[in-house]
Amino acid sequence: LVVPMSFLANFLAACSSLQKSAKDKTLDEEFASEIQLNAFEFRNYRTTLDPPQQQVLERIVNQWCAMLVKGKTMTVEGLPDKVFLDKDMLTLEYQNEFYPLRSISRLELVKDMDEMMAGSSAPYGLDVTFEGSMGDISLKFNFEQERHRLHFALMLRILRTRDPMLDPSSNVAVITEEVDEEDHQTF
């Protein structure tokens, strides 16, 4: 069997430019809100990231969103419990309390010495402070791996910026507290 090279080249070119047709949309995509759909379309935003970096960031945020929308068991305030993200990915839910991401005022990344001394497998802490009308509320999340803590913090920060009700003048203070300098890596 002899196949002309031009046929093979045309075939491969056609396969590399496939697009999803409107009829192939899933039921979830049809009923998703505009805000929800835009969470996965970071390509619409202008960033200074190179395309490969942008893709990595998209994957991180998409994975966390998928886990939290379904409900993910996390260590919060020292105890394992389910944490949810609403379908618009603008509000965190924990113990039937709702925390709008736009009200995040501070993210503090710490190595939790108490958790380390207690032999916990989740020594990497993230204190998230939400501004409220009755005062600030803080939730403490713990992670087994430093990378998971960083990914969660990135996801919160990115989703926060998408809220149409966010005051553009509000900022999030990001504080890092490293206990062991020898664990700190610079590149």
Side-chain angles (χ1 to χ4, degrees):
L1 176 71
V2 176
V3 178
M5 280 305 265
S6 62
F7 173 77
L8 187 58
N10 289 339
F11 180 74
L12 291 176
C15 288
S16 66
S17 63
L18 293 177
Q19 295 180 351
K20 191 173 187 179
S21 70
K23 68 178 182 179
D24 290 339
K25 280 188 174 180
T26 66
L27 191 59
D28 290 342
E29 288 174 339
E30 286 182 27
F31 293 106
S33 72
E34 195 62 38
I35 294 171
Q36 184 179 6
L37 290 175
N38 285 338
F40 299 101
E41 296 174 359
F42 295 106
R43 288 172 217 81
N44 293 340
Y45 299 96
R46 296 186 189 277
T47 67
T48 57
L49 296 174
D50 292 331
Q53 294 170 329
Q54 183 77 16
Q55 288 175 339
V56 169
L57 188 59
E58 286 174 22
R59 285 181 44 202
I60 291 168
V61 172
N62 289 343
Q63 287 173 351
W64 272 99
C65 287
M67 289 186 289
L68 288 169
V69 166
K70 294 175 186 173
K72 175 165 178 48
T73 300
M74 300 178 70
T75 303
V76 186
E77 302 298 334
L79 300 169
D81 207 342
K82 281 245 185 190
V83 177
F84 297 90
L85 195 58
D86 73 325
K87 73 176 184 94
D88 288 331
M89 293 175 262
L90 298 175
T91 305
L92 208 59
E93 180 186 346
Y94 168 67
Q95 293 187 338
N96 294 320
E97 296 280 334
F98 299 92
Y99 301 89
L101 299 182
R102 72 175 170 272
S103 66
I104 294 175
S105 61
R106 177 180 164 127
L107 296 171
E108 185 174 358
L109 294 86
V110 297
K111 243 187 203 171
D112 194 333
M113 292 305 290
D114 294 335
E115 292 291 325
M116 291 173 72
M117 297 300 278
S120 171
S121 62
Y124 299 101
L126 175 66
D127 289 330
V128 182
T129 303
F130 297 87
E131 287 181 347
S133 58
M134 307 276 279
D136 291 352
I137 298 169
S138 184
L139 288 178
K140 184 177 185 177
F141 297 87
N142 283 85
F143 301 86
E144 292 179 8
Q145 296 180 14
E146 187 174 21
R147 162 176 66 109
H148 292 164
R149 174 185 66 178
L150 177 61
H151 292 174
F152 183 71
L154 273 171
M155 183 267 316
L156 291 176
R157 183 101 189 245
I158 289 168
L159 292 181
R160 177 187 179 274
T161 63
R162 297 174 40 260
D163 193 323
M165 295 176 58
L166 177 68
D167 176 6
S169 66
S170 69
N171 290 318
V172 174
V174 179
I175 299 158
T176 59
E177 185 181 306
E178 292 294 325
V179 175
D180 294 332
E181 286 300 317
E182 58 196 31
D183 284 351
H184 184 67
Q185 297 177 357
T186 57
F187 297 96

